[in-house]
Amino acid sequence: MSFASLGLNGPILQAVEECGYTQPTPIQAQAIPAVLSGGDLLAGAQTGTGKTAGFTLPMLQILTDRPVKGLANGRHPIRALVLVPTRELAAQVEDSVRTYGKHLKLTSMTMFGGVGINPQISQLKQRVDILVATPGRLLDHAQQRTVDLSHVEILVLDEADRMLDMGFIRDVKRIIALLPKSVNNLRRQNLLFSATFSDEIKALADGLLDKPKMIEVARRNTTAESVDQKVVLSEKVHKRALLAHLIKTNRWEQVLVFTRTKHGANRLAEQLGKDGITALAIHGNKSQSARTRALSEFKGGTLQVLVATDIAARGLDIVELPHVVNYELPNVPEDYVHRIGRTGRAGASGEAISLVASDERPYLADIERLIKRQIPRVQVPGFVFDARAVTIDEQRPPMPPRRTCARCSKTAIRGCKASPPNRCPGSAPTRARPA
Ligand code: AMP
């Protein structure tokens, strides 16, 4: 199947060709005609499947085919809104909009928090056809009346499951309430993309979408087939040495490592640095410029390891990322699917290794239940660890022997208070209580 057979116009086909795409991915083959037909869409697609072009290409075509006049106040209306969970994803989606729309007259803008609001206000005074935004900052603008959403013809909720996981449900609903039901007698078109389908997502879809076309390209909650997944059982204290060993012996050049906490990400990046491995951490406490710098160094190949928390890593699009390491397993099993979705993207093969300590075994069981398969266990010579054979007590250092008093035979800890115990005068007579 070719992109031309999907009904896309010349300038869009030219941009796609310039990206080097020869044929649509399965999600694109289904989503592009569905969106072009004008109806709502509920799409189950994991990251790395090409879903961004799946909604961006038809969106660009619809907006081009349906030109609009400026508003009475001289402004140009915002015509499409793409809501995304993170800043990084906003930047990436808008980058795609610009790449695929480079031969069109449409303009786009990103809007997210963590950066100054004033440049965004200035940009909103110019022409913006497509706005790619995170919910929090968009609501700030809405409250300050610096953004007008009353002419939005197309709404895209991208990575909707993550938006809800991050607690944006109320913000998303408040934004939806600001949108028009129809523009120029045409009903607003709503597209919802999600990798997983919780009851909350289904409820959101029920309230938002009108007779949506449903498409699903990978089985729900299954991990990309092209990712080679492995588990290495390891004691917690050995994980850093094990990771450094894996990176060095396998000569890994580009590794995305996940930790559960921001503090853990910082500490690991620092420790890897001491092991002679270039590493930087990205997480929500880092400034936007630090995150952008780390990401561009990582993409450019000058940074070997990017250590990230789940939230920071969401939406990272690093083409053909070869290695993902779960330094700690996520306690939400769906996050595992998102994490390893960073590798093996759009058909490229990748490897995802999880370092699992004894106390993470329940998380591993939850993940395997979710993805409906057992992840092969592998051993790394020099780091062999059999978690089943090790009890918690065996991992603790032995207790020092207790000193027993030679005269009263009580232990120094529990009874005899004499020090050293052989000064003990023997069992003290019980004193009669005063009347
Ligand atoms: P996405 O799932 O939208 O984040 O896309 C994942 C990656 O696949 C991106 O790096 C895209 O540039 C790439 N991609 C998207 N569509 C195609 C295609 N038809 N052929 C090859 N690569 C693609």
Side-chain angles (χ1 to χ4, degrees):
M1 185 189 282
S2 68
F3 278 101
S5 69
L6 297 175
L8 294 169
N9 66 30
I12 296 177
L13 290 174
Q14 192 186 338
V16 165
E17 196 184 322
E18 284 162 11
C19 288
Y21 305 166
T22 49
Q23 54 178 7
T25 63
I27 185 84
Q28 291 162 2
Q30 295 183 64
I32 292 171
V35 179
L36 287 177
S37 75
D40 284 358
L41 179 70
L42 177 60
Q46 296 172 354
T47 50
T49 54
K51 67 182 166 60
T52 314
F55 63 77
T56 305
L57 299 177
M59 178 172 78
L60 290 169
Q61 172 131 339
I62 290 172
L63 298 182
T64 313
D65 290 351
R66 223 194 266 160
V68 288
K69 293 192 206 110
L71 302 174
N73 62 7
R75 296 261 180 101
H76 194 88
I78 294 172
R79 304 178 58 200
L81 172 64
V82 184
L83 277 184
V84 295
T86 65
R87 307 162 190 184
E88 279 79 14
L89 188 59
Q92 277 170 208
V93 169
E94 200 249 349
D95 201 42
S96 299
V97 170
R98 257 187 285 156
T99 305
Y100 302 141
K102 67 177 165 189
H103 302 300
L104 304 171
K105 290 215 175 79
L106 299 168
T107 55
S108 55
M109 168 183 171
T110 43
M111 179 188 280
F112 47 71
V115 294
I117 198 164
N118 288 334
Q120 294 176 351
I121 294 174
S122 308
Q123 206 181 341
L124 284 165
K125 289 180 183 156
Q126 314 296 314
R127 173 175 171 168
V128 176
D129 294 287
I130 300 157
L131 178 62
V132 185
T134 54
R137 179 53 68 92
L138 179 57
L139 274 179
D140 289 347
H141 279 282
Q143 271 149 13
Q144 296 187 30
R145 296 183 188 281
T146 45
V147 70
D148 177 4
L149 298 175
S150 64
H151 293 83
V152 169
E153 300 162 48
I154 303 174
L155 168 70
V156 182
L157 296 187
D158 192 16
E159 307 211 348
D161 48 348
R162 179 48 55 122
M163 244 170 331
L164 302 200
D165 287 350
M166 290 171 69
F168 289 147
I169 180 76
R170 286 177 59 192
D171 287 356
V172 169
K173 285 184 176 165
R174 285 166 65 198
I175 290 166
I176 292 171
L178 296 173
L179 304 179
K181 293 228 171 336
S182 59
V183 178
N184 298 331
N185 294 325
L186 271 177
R187 213 190 137 269
R188 189 186 75 235
Q189 192 174 5
N190 303 297
L191 319 175
L192 189 151
F193 286 77
S194 187
T196 54
F197 286 95
S198 61
D199 291 344
E200 218 179 359
I201 291 283
K202 286 182 206 139
L204 179 69
D206 285 347
L208 176 69
L209 307 175
D210 180 35
K211 297 187 216 74
K213 181 149 199 315
M214 292 199 252
I215 55 178
E216 197 166 358
V217 289
R219 261 182 305 133
R220 192 179 299 171
N221 295 338
T222 56
T223 41
E225 298 298 324
S226 54
V227 182
D228 182 16
Q229 302 169 64
K230 291 176 188 139
V231 159
V232 182
L233 300 173
S234 167
E235 278 183 70
K236 215 174 250 173
V237 290
H238 292 154
K239 281 189 178 183
R240 187 188 50 74
L242 171 59
L243 177 61
H245 173 83
L246 286 170
I247 293 171
K248 284 182 178 170
T249 53
N250 295 306
R251 297 177 199 277
W252 289 345
E253 299 291 340
Q254 201 184 35
V255 196
L256 179 61
V257 177
F258 286 92
T259 59
R260 223 176 298 152
T261 64
K262 298 170 192 171
H263 180 62
N266 283 342
R267 208 175 38 212
L268 181 62
E270 217 176 278
Q271 289 169 333
L272 288 173
K274 288 183 187 153
D275 289 330
I277 295 165
T278 54
L280 281 175
I282 58 165
H283 51 66
N285 285 1
K286 295 266 176 181
S287 68
Q288 186 56 33
S289 61
R291 288 155 61 136
T292 309
R293 184 173 63 89
L295 189 59
S296 77
E297 284 183 21
F298 187 60
K299 281 186 173 185
T302 50
L303 182 71
Q304 234 175 320
V305 178
L306 190 64
V307 188
T309 54
D310 288 293
I311 291 175
R314 187 70 179 168
L316 292 183
D317 177 20
I318 303 148
V319 182
E320 296 181 15
L321 181 62
H323 305 285
V324 165
V325 174
N326 292 311
Y327 189 75
E328 286 148 338
L329 283 183
N331 42 13
V332 177
E334 281 82 5
D335 281 345
Y336 176 83
V337 179
H338 292 303
R339 284 181 178 190
I340 76 157
R342 310 285 112 212
T343 181
R345 315 202 79 194
S349 63
E351 186 179 30
I353 295 193
S354 303
L355 312 186
V356 180
S358 310
D359 62 354
E360 294 173 283
R361 300 291 287 256
Y363 300 146
L364 182 59
D366 287 348
I367 289 165
E368 291 182 325
R369 205 170 304 124
L370 178 79
I371 64 172
K372 296 191 179 68
R373 69 162 104 150
Q374 217 213 8
I375 307 169
R377 273 58 167 168
V378 294
Q379 293 188 336
V380 178
F383 290 88
V384 175
F385 170 67
D386 181 0
R388 284 161 309 177
V390 181
T391 65
I392 299 294
D393 278 350
E394 278 169 326
Q395 292 175 46
R396 284 200 193 119
M399 294 281 280
R402 285 180 174 180
R403 290 190 304 173
T404 311
C405 175
R407 297 185 71 176
C408 73
S409 69
K410 288 180 179 169
T411 63
I413 300 165
R414 296 181 58 218
C416 179
K417 300 278 186 291
S419 178
N422 56 7
R423 294 260 176 87
C424 175
S427 312
T430 332
R431 265 195 226 142
R433 285 185 175 208

